Amino acid sequence: MSRIPGAIQHDLAQLRSLQDWFLNYELKNLPNVAEVATVGGMVKQYQVVLDPVRMANLGIPQQVVTQAIKNANQEAGGSVLEMAEAEYMVRASGYLESLQDFRDIPLRLDGDGVPITLGDIAHIQIGPEMRRGIAELDGEGEVVGGVVVLRSGKNARETIRLVKERLDELQGSLPEGVEVVTTYDRSQVIDRGVSNLTQKLVEEFIVVGLVCLLFLWHFRSSLVVIMTLPIGVLISFVIMQQQGINANIMSLGGIAIGAMVDAAIVMIENAHKHIERWHERHPGKTLKGAEHWQVITQASIEVGPALFFSLLIITLSFIPVFTLEAQEGRLFGPLAFTKTYAMAAAAGLSVTLVPVLMGYWIRGKIPSESRNPLNRGLARIYRPALDGVLRWPKTTVAVAMMMFLSSLWPATQLGGEFLPPMDEGDLLYMPTALPGLSAQKASELLQQTDRMIKSVPEVHRVFGKAGRANTATDPAPLVMFETTIQFKPRDQWRPGMTPEKLVEELDAAVQVPGLANMWIPPIRNRIDMLATGVKSPIGVRVSGSDLTAIDEITQEIERIARDVPGVNSATAERLAGGRYIDVDIKRSAAARYGLNIADIQAVVAGAIGGKTVGETVEGLARYPINLRYGREWRDSLSDLHNLPIYTPQGSQITLGTVADIHVESGPPMLKSENARLSGLVFVDVRGRDVASVANELRATLGQKLSLPAGMSVSYAGQFEYMERANERLQLVIPVTLMIILVLLYLTFRSVTDALLIMAMLPFALTGGVWFLYLLGYNLSVATGVGFIALAGVAAEFGVIMLLYLKNAWHERLASGHGGEAGLLEAIRTGAVQRVRPKVMTVAVLIAGLVPILWGSGTGSEIMSRIAAPMIGGMVTAPLLSLFVMPAAYLLMHRRQLRASATHRNTLETSKGVNA
């Protein structure tokens, strides 16, 4: 909330009361709101400022004042009285309501029976409570803010809508001159992300239909494919809804339209081939009735089981993603779930609904494959190329091996990161200041940096926060600034301005001595801070038992890290710099005056620090009552030495009589990790990938840093996520490959065939590696998901090609045309039959993925990393199945044929000798 310039003014205490006792209660009642954390402003406080001289003169100790205030601020009930056949509830209200009520509190009677009141020994006033959080808007002055916290796992978009509606309703209830300003709205990034991905899904629907129509020249056949898509997606959405998975960037990214329709395309294309053959065998006849259904059934049975298992392989290939832990598991879990549901639905529909729809809709005159000029052109190109491959199969396999080996070099050049930087639309400025700032100085710095940020033309609104919000989940000290920056719409930006350039301009505009700048997307920052407490991409944690040694080591790491290429800033937490006034109580001196440790500590805690002794009740609002000595008694060390203390014997002494008072330095905040004291170095990275910087930093620290005994260094932040994800994937991927191998064996009932397909998978990934290198992308969990999806699709390509080759070879053997010539002809027939469905599936995948790769908008950064390996792989995976697979199949079966021939010759020779 802020004050409207020129309107009725409201001070920060009034705004804070309005937030705490009105808006908070109205918003907390909304569904799925966990809490509303107030930040900034000043809490109204009734302050009882004691005069120790008058207290000593009148013989009134502090304990008597405390008890008198408590006794004067309460309410009691007197049960019920019955009068005139009615019940009357008896109550005695005695809450303090005004400053005069405080002044009239009796303490005791003097010798003449005259009451001594609180007003006789204290000055009572209304003032602000000591604050640990400050909020500022647009560099124009302090305001009061509220952070609406969502319950875990609930629908953020719906909750934000309810909050907005409620705030609109409450607008008329706000005092004149007060307005509610939205400083951060996550629904915008949600809407942009979901809208962007939804648009991509619709585009893929259209592309699928056009590709099928282009290759098959049959509208109803295309309709079969198109009909399976909404049904499969609907099944995924139903399961997602039951599981509580919301539609978001990650979950919608798991719906791969291209992979979902692969099976339907192959099934329909195979049905077209069977219908064409039937017409060739029965010229002039019409295929209908039971005979039509028999042809459709045969076509479905021929490829259905293999398709089902291949889709099952794609589904199970995402097992490694399910095993990811902690934050990486929560991020990519929705994607893996929706991908699994979508592919499982596609697998089920391919062997249930698709054959039925084919039977009803693929009727009448089916255009011949040879009549389509596109298909004729593909066959004309493929046949001579295949003949060349079959003439030199070993050379083909060797070339494929060389292509695979060529990918090893770009693989070593790829950087690493946990997730690519995502443009959330808003930005968070989180500088790190040196410890020991006062609240007044923090407020000045906050307003200064906010004004600098607001000077950039693209900035719409700046909401700065220093210190903590009023919630247990925010332990931030006053030196931690969190400034949320809202930008204007992109069409209002200066020509040529990009988010990257904007960050550089902001970094140049905000230069304040003592502040180390850091610019982070808000959602990404919250994820990192909640998981590890580290706000930078890399955090170096030093653990030990000696704070001084830890502080020295962290500052040494800060100096070393600044020289590592790619490090934008390195800032060590200062474990020294906190300022303490120590009151060391002299036990023997205190004992002479009848004082124990607790008595003197009560004076220090209450009279100096201020003690909350109760709270006023003003309707719904509650305001604290603070008791302490006046500022003139506690402003310096000499004043503290002379601070009066009232002894049990009735005499007055000073604090310096029973205690030594001196200034010491110490830690401003203590942190521990695994029950050991720790300190952090925040390392911000720009212009280089996180993994390379972290690895070089680790190597440099290993060479230049000498650790004392009992101290250790570990790494946190995004780098920690990435390392943990890589370690888990290295364990789980081999197990997943074994499961896929078992499925391949169940498909073909042949270990050799299963191993053949598994051996082909690395070649299929070659294109994905090269494409990532050419695009300049880094390896991340997102690209890992893309490679997993590519491996599943490549396995499907291999399964279908091997199925066509085996069927053609078995037909040759059944017709008595075995031998090497028959094998070559079978391979030619089976491979050429695979050209049209292969090109169709590749075209669908590429046409569906290219808009995602080159598209812009919220979420495109992650989706492009998932799409890039698959697009690159769509170059090598089809080449693998169309050329390398036939060559390998020829070499494998040619050896078997020659071995069989040798065995027959040996038997015939042995029979001749015996004869």
Side-chain angles (χ1 to χ4, degrees):
M1 289 183 299
S2 66
R3 295 161 288 198
I4 300 175
I8 298 175
Q9 293 298 305
H10 299 267
D11 61 33
L12 290 173
Q14 292 171 321
L15 292 178
R16 178 65 183 253
S17 295
L18 188 63
Q19 173 71 31
D20 284 341
W21 306 109
F22 175 56
L23 291 179
N24 278 15
Y25 282 88
E26 294 290 340
L27 297 179
K28 277 181 183 179
N29 292 328
L30 297 177
N32 302 328
V33 172
E35 66 171 327
V36 180
T38 303
V39 58
M42 295 184 179
V43 176
K44 175 183 172 182
Q45 184 184 65
Y46 288 89
Q47 297 175 343
V48 180
V49 184
L50 299 173
D51 185 339
V53 174
R54 301 193 67 182
M55 290 173 63
N57 291 338
L58 295 173
I60 298 176
Q62 182 179 333
Q63 294 84 346
V64 171
V65 178
T66 302
Q67 191 59 47
I69 293 174
K70 292 179 179 179
N71 292 340
N73 186 45
Q74 56 189 0
E75 185 167 325
S79 190
V80 175
L81 291 180
E82 291 187 13
M83 296 187 300
E85 299 181 352
E87 283 189 343
Y88 293 83
M89 289 175 281
V90 181
R91 59 184 181 181
S93 180
Y95 288 125
L96 296 166
E97 297 179 354
S98 65
L99 295 180
Q100 188 59 45
D101 288 345
F102 278 89
R103 297 186 186 102
D104 293 339
I105 295 175
L107 301 177
R108 67 175 176 82
L109 299 176
D110 64 8
D112 298 327
V114 177
I116 299 174
T117 64
L118 185 60
D120 295 329
I121 63 164
H123 172 67
I124 294 93
Q125 62 188 20
I126 294 177
E129 187 178 43
M130 182 178 291
R131 55 189 184 147
R132 308 309 296 168
I134 301 166
E136 204 278 341
L137 186 66
D138 291 338
E140 296 177 356
E142 289 190 39
V143 294
V144 176
V147 181
V148 180
V149 181
L150 179 72
R151 292 188 185 276
S152 177
K154 299 302 180 180
N155 189 327
R157 183 65 187 85
E158 178 64 18
T159 305
I160 293 172
R161 183 186 64 80
L162 294 174
V163 169
K164 288 181 178 180
E165 291 178 355
R166 190 63 181 139
L167 287 175
D168 289 340
E169 294 172 0
L170 297 174
Q171 194 68 43
S173 302
L174 296 177
E176 185 179 354
V178 176
E179 63 177 340
V180 176
V181 177
T182 301
T183 57
Y184 180 67
D185 183 0
R186 186 173 291 185
S187 66
Q188 296 179 3
V189 68
I190 295 172
D191 291 344
R192 289 196 302 267
V194 173
S195 175
N196 185 34
L197 291 175
T198 303
Q199 179 183 346
K200 301 303 180 189
L201 290 178
V202 173
E203 290 174 359
E204 291 188 37
F205 271 62
I206 297 172
V207 165
V208 167
L210 291 177
V211 168
C212 293
L213 195 59
L214 185 65
F215 280 90
L216 297 177
W217 278 16
H218 193 252
F219 176 75
R220 290 195 300 274
S221 297
S222 303
L223 202 59
V224 174
V225 179
I226 295 172
M227 282 297 296
T228 59
L229 284 176
I231 297 174
V233 172
L234 181 61
I235 292 172
S236 302
F237 283 169
V238 169
I239 302 175
M240 286 167 57
Q241 194 273 335
Q242 293 297 316
Q243 192 176 347
I245 299 176
N246 297 320
N248 53 50
I249 293 172
M250 303 306 292
S251 63
L252 291 181
I255 300 177
I257 298 298
M260 287 180 65
V261 299
D262 276 0
I265 288 174
V266 173
M267 188 80 79
I268 293 167
E269 199 277 339
N270 196 50
H272 274 237
K273 280 189 169 63
H274 277 256
I275 293 173
E276 286 182 37
R277 291 173 192 162
W278 188 92
H279 283 293
E280 290 173 1
R281 293 193 301 266
H282 306 84
K285 291 187 178 181
T286 302
L287 180 63
K288 59 182 180 179
E291 199 167 8
H292 167 76
W293 283 101
Q294 185 178 2
V295 172
I296 295 296
T297 302
Q298 289 174 351
S300 302
I301 292 174
E302 184 178 38
V303 296
L307 286 174
F308 180 82
F309 276 101
S310 63
L311 291 179
L312 194 59
I313 288 170
I314 296 177
T315 303
L316 294 178
S317 65
F318 274 79
I319 288 177
V321 183
F322 284 110
T323 64
L324 294 177
E325 300 177 300
Q327 197 58 50
E328 55 271 26
R330 287 189 288 272
L331 279 171
F332 286 93
L335 185 146
F337 276 116
T338 53
K339 180 81 173 181
T340 300
Y341 300 150
M343 296 311 301
L349 293 174
S350 66
V351 296
T352 54
L353 180 64
V354 171
V356 175
L357 293 179
M358 289 194 309
Y360 282 112
W361 289 352
I362 304 181
R363 293 175 176 272
K365 189 175 181 181
I366 303 298
S368 172
E369 182 176 356
S370 60
R371 290 181 56 192
N372 189 327
L374 183 61
N375 297 327
R376 287 201 307 271
L378 289 173
R380 191 177 297 120
I381 295 172
Y382 180 59
R383 281 196 181 95
L386 179 63
D387 289 339
V389 165
L390 296 179
R391 278 197 299 272
W392 296 290
K394 292 182 180 179
T395 304
T396 302
V397 175
V399 170
M401 179 67 72
M402 293 298 295
M403 288 178 60
F404 169 67
L405 294 176
S406 73
S407 67
L408 298 180
W409 180 80
T412 60
Q413 304 303 307
L414 295 175
E417 59 192 1
F418 176 62
L419 278 179
M422 192 175 79
D423 179 17
E424 298 178 14
D426 298 326
L427 197 63
L428 198 65
Y429 171 58
M430 289 194 69
T432 301
L434 295 176
L437 280 181
S438 66
Q440 180 63 34
K441 187 60 180 177
S443 177
E444 292 176 8
L445 278 176
L446 188 64
Q447 186 170 1
Q448 180 182 354
T449 55
D450 286 1
R451 192 178 293 118
M452 291 175 173
I453 294 171
K454 193 69 166 59
S455 66
V456 176
E458 283 74 16
V459 174
H460 170 59
R461 176 160 287 133
V462 184
F463 176 72
K465 166 183 169 290
R468 58 170 298 178
N470 188 27
T471 171
T473 61
D474 186 6
L478 270 175
V479 296
M480 180 180 285
F481 293 0
E482 299 177 36
T483 300
T484 305
I485 306 168
Q486 285 185 319
F487 294 116
K488 296 176 182 176
R490 295 293 172 91
D491 56 6
Q492 299 180 24
W493 289 15
R494 287 169 288 174
M497 182 59 69
T498 64
E500 293 77 16
K501 292 180 180 179
L502 196 51
V503 170
E504 293 176 2
E505 186 165 334
L506 285 167
D507 197 50
V510 185
Q511 293 295 326
V512 179
L515 294 184
N517 292 348
M518 194 171 295
W519 310 90
I520 314 168
I523 298 176
R524 179 73 167 268
N525 171 260
R526 293 294 174 244
I527 291 172
D528 293 347
M529 291 291 287
L530 288 173
T532 65
V534 179
K535 61 184 178 181
S536 58
I538 303 173
V540 184
R541 181 182 290 112
V542 179
S543 301
S545 56
D546 185 354
L547 279 177
T548 302
I550 293 174
D551 190 48
E552 293 174 355
I553 294 297
T554 54
Q555 294 189 48
E556 179 66 20
I557 292 174
E558 177 188 291
R559 288 190 291 271
I560 295 173
R562 286 174 177 171
D563 297 330
V564 175
V567 172
N568 180 53
S569 66
T571 307
E573 287 183 325
R574 295 305 191 257
L575 303 182
R579 302 172 183 88
Y580 295 85
I581 296 177
D582 285 346
V583 180
D584 295 333
I585 301 172
K586 297 182 286 188
R587 294 178 182 270
S588 58
R592 287 197 297 269
Y593 295 100
L595 296 171
N596 58 34
I597 299 296
D599 295 330
I600 301 174
Q601 287 176 338
V603 173
V604 173
I608 299 176
K611 182 179 181 182
T612 299
V613 296
E615 60 183 14
T616 64
V617 179
E618 301 177 21
L620 185 64
R622 304 289 190 272
Y623 298 110
I625 302 170
N626 183 267
L627 186 69
R628 72 191 311 179
Y629 284 178
R631 182 176 295 277
E632 65 275 10
W633 294 98
R634 49 185 174 84
D635 258 1
S636 65
L637 288 182
S638 60
D639 290 336
L640 294 179
H641 273 284
N642 297 325
L643 190 72
I645 297 178
Y646 195 76
T647 67
Q649 292 77 23
S651 61
Q652 180 180 341
I653 62 172
T654 62
L655 181 61
T657 306
V658 292
D660 292 327
I661 305 170
H662 53 90
V663 175
E664 291 284 351
S665 296
M669 179 183 291
L670 290 175
K671 287 187 177 181
S672 65
E673 188 77 18
N674 296 324
R676 300 184 72 202
L677 293 173
S678 65
L680 277 168
V681 182
F682 302 109
V683 181
D684 189 25
V685 177
R686 189 178 300 171
R688 195 179 176 195
D689 65 284
V690 173
S692 299
V693 174
N695 290 329
E696 185 169 344
L697 176 62
R698 179 182 281 170
T700 305
L701 292 178
Q703 296 173 358
K704 298 183 178 181
L705 186 67
S706 178
L707 290 176
M711 299 190 68
S712 62
V713 171
S714 59
Y715 295 83
Q718 298 172 25
F719 182 67
E720 178 185 8
Y721 301 153
M722 183 177 64
E723 283 201 318
R724 188 169 55 223
N726 290 338
E727 290 174 1
R728 178 53 60 97
L729 292 176
Q730 289 172 6
L731 291 174
V732 178
I733 287 178
V735 178
T736 306
L737 292 176
M738 290 300 299
I739 295 174
I740 292 175
L741 181 62
V742 172
L743 287 174
L744 290 172
Y745 171 77
L746 294 175
T747 303
F748 295 106
R749 300 293 178 179
S750 169
V751 176
T752 305
D753 292 342
L755 290 175
L756 175 62
I757 294 176
M758 293 296 293
M760 296 290 116
L761 292 184
F763 301 103
L765 305 182
T766 301
V769 174
W770 272 105
F771 198 55
L772 282 183
Y773 173 74
L774 294 175
L775 291 174
Y777 288 171
N778 297 316
L779 289 173
S780 63
V781 179
T783 58
V785 170
F787 275 113
I788 290 173
L790 172 59
V793 172
E796 181 199 19
F797 287 175
V799 167
I800 302 304
M801 174 57 81
L802 186 57
L803 176 68
Y804 275 80
L805 295 177
K806 288 175 69 70
N807 288 345
W809 177 229
H810 290 159
E811 288 177 4
R812 285 282 168 179
L813 291 176
S815 62
H817 296 83
E820 189 166 332
L823 176 61
L824 287 170
E825 188 58 33
I827 292 175
R828 289 190 184 95
T829 303
V832 171
Q833 286 181 346
R834 183 71 180 111
V835 172
R836 181 168 69 171
K838 167 62 67 179
V839 176
M840 287 176 66
T841 54
V842 171
V844 167
L845 284 166
I846 292 179
L849 292 172
V850 166
I852 294 177
L853 179 69
W854 300 116
S856 59
T858 303
S860 60
E861 299 89 349
I862 294 177
M863 292 303 104
S864 63
R865 267 64 175 185
I866 296 175
M870 295 193 67
I871 293 177
M874 286 303 102
V875 176
T876 52
L879 292 177
L880 173 74
S881 63
L882 290 174
F883 296 107
V884 182
M885 180 70 76
Y889 191 81
L890 173 61
L891 291 174
M892 184 174 65
H893 284 272
R894 177 187 285 171
R895 179 177 297 178
Q896 293 177 357
L897 288 173
R898 291 176 179 176
S900 300
T902 302
H903 181 64
R904 285 197 303 271
N905 291 336
T906 303
L907 290 177
E908 290 173 359
T909 303
S910 62
K911 289 179 181 178
V913 171
N914 292 333

